[in-house]
Amino acid sequence: MADRHAHEAHGDVADLFTQQTWDARYAESDRIWSGRPNARLVEQANGLTPGTALDVGAGEGADAVWLAGRGWDVTALDVSEVALGRVRAHAVEAGVGERVHARHHDLMTGEPLPGGFDLVSAQYLHPPAERFVEIMGLLGGSVRQGGLLLVVGHHPDDVTSGVRAGHGHPELLFTPNKVVAALPTEEWEIRVAESPTRTVDTADGPVTYTDTVVLAARR
Ligand SMILES: C[S@@+](CC[C@H](N)C(=O)[O-])C[C@H]1O[C@@H](n2cnc3c(N)ncnc32)[C@H](O)[C@@H]1O
């Protein structure tokens, strides 16, 4: 999951979205995330009929591999080639290499994403505040009519509660309302807009985080 990087997010905000930054971060170690799928994805996608899925900002591919293991055909997009190499390797290791397609895409170019997906998932992808609506529009544009958009992120309450008190760019964290406001009501039916908490064991003891979870169906 994305907790470690949210704590480390300091410096020029534009640098947080470049291939150079993320290739360097991923190259710091063989594996920077846990390898387990994100709990919010598992909660929301568990009961869905498998189809085609797009994982945007897929990282090392744990979510893509989990979805593929449940029968989904998954396209995993990321700006980092180092991460994409791990997505491919993990998918092959897990025996789902044929159902996971790792593709390079830089969201900051503003170019449209591939379209027609049954499910588009963005987990702990925190776009620059001034481009938030545009990026939500790009994600939504990839969902087929009747398909689902799942957006999960770190909630701003984490800053005020102190668990992310040292976050360098608190403006990147977002509420469910911010996501909902970016999705035109004539186009989207909101199924879930919640702020659940989760407790994670850390070296300093248990820490409780608040997530933003929005699941929307395209009309
Ligand atoms: C906080 S990580 C989350 C990774 C994964 N979804 C997870 O939950 O473990 C954010 C991901 O977004 C990717 N990313 C950052 N900027 C991007 C951009 N401009 N275009 C596409 N992906 C980007 C990073 O490489 C990274 O893998």
Side-chain angles (χ1 to χ4, degrees):
M1 284 202 225
D3 298 324
R4 178 170 165 245
H5 286 268
H7 283 297
E8 290 176 355
H10 291 272
D12 185 348
V13 74
D15 291 342
L16 299 176
F17 305 98
T18 66
Q19 179 173 353
Q20 191 183 19
T21 294
W22 283 94
D23 275 349
R25 283 187 170 184
Y26 282 110
E28 281 168 15
S29 70
D30 290 344
R31 171 172 272 185
I32 68 171
W33 306 135
S34 68
R36 292 187 298 279
N38 281 302
R40 303 307 178 198
L41 172 71
V42 173
E43 286 165 8
Q44 299 299 330
N46 226 348
L48 300 178
T49 304
T52 56
L54 181 69
D55 185 3
V56 185
E60 292 169 314
D63 288 353
V65 167
W66 180 81
L67 284 164
R70 301 182 69 81
W72 292 80
D73 188 86
V74 188
T75 300
L77 297 188
D78 207 282
V79 75
S80 166
E81 291 288 3
V82 177
L84 291 168
R86 290 182 191 169
V87 173
R88 292 185 190 102
H90 292 159
V92 169
E93 270 166 36
V96 293
E98 288 182 4
R99 283 206 295 281
V100 175
H101 319 287
R103 303 270 185 269
H104 181 264
H105 186 95
D106 181 353
L107 274 173
M108 294 303 111
T109 62
E111 285 168 18
L113 300 170
F117 290 89
D118 297 311
L119 171 68
V120 173
S121 171
Q123 302 279 324
Y124 304 102
L125 179 78
H126 292 259
E130 70 280 8
R131 296 191 64 185
F132 190 86
V133 174
E134 174 201 349
I135 301 293
M136 290 301 123
L138 288 173
L139 298 178
S142 290
V143 179
R144 70 161 171 82
Q145 263 194 319
L148 295 169
L149 173 64
L150 176 62
V151 178
V152 173
H154 299 298
H155 194 285
D157 277 2
D158 281 358
V159 176
T160 43
S161 75
V163 295
R164 293 184 204 282
H167 197 288
H169 294 284
E171 76 282 5
L172 298 182
L173 310 191
F174 54 84
T175 61
N177 281 349
K178 186 167 178 178
V179 180
V180 169
L183 300 176
T185 44
E186 64 277 14
E187 204 183 339
W188 294 96
E189 175 200 324
I190 304 302
R191 299 259 175 97
V192 174
E194 294 173 349
S195 309
T197 58
R198 76 191 141 82
T199 300
V200 176
D201 286 325
T202 73
D204 303 324
V207 176
T208 299
Y209 295 101
T210 303
D211 289 320
T212 280
V213 179
V214 174
L215 180 70
R218 192 169 186 181
R219 299 185 200 278

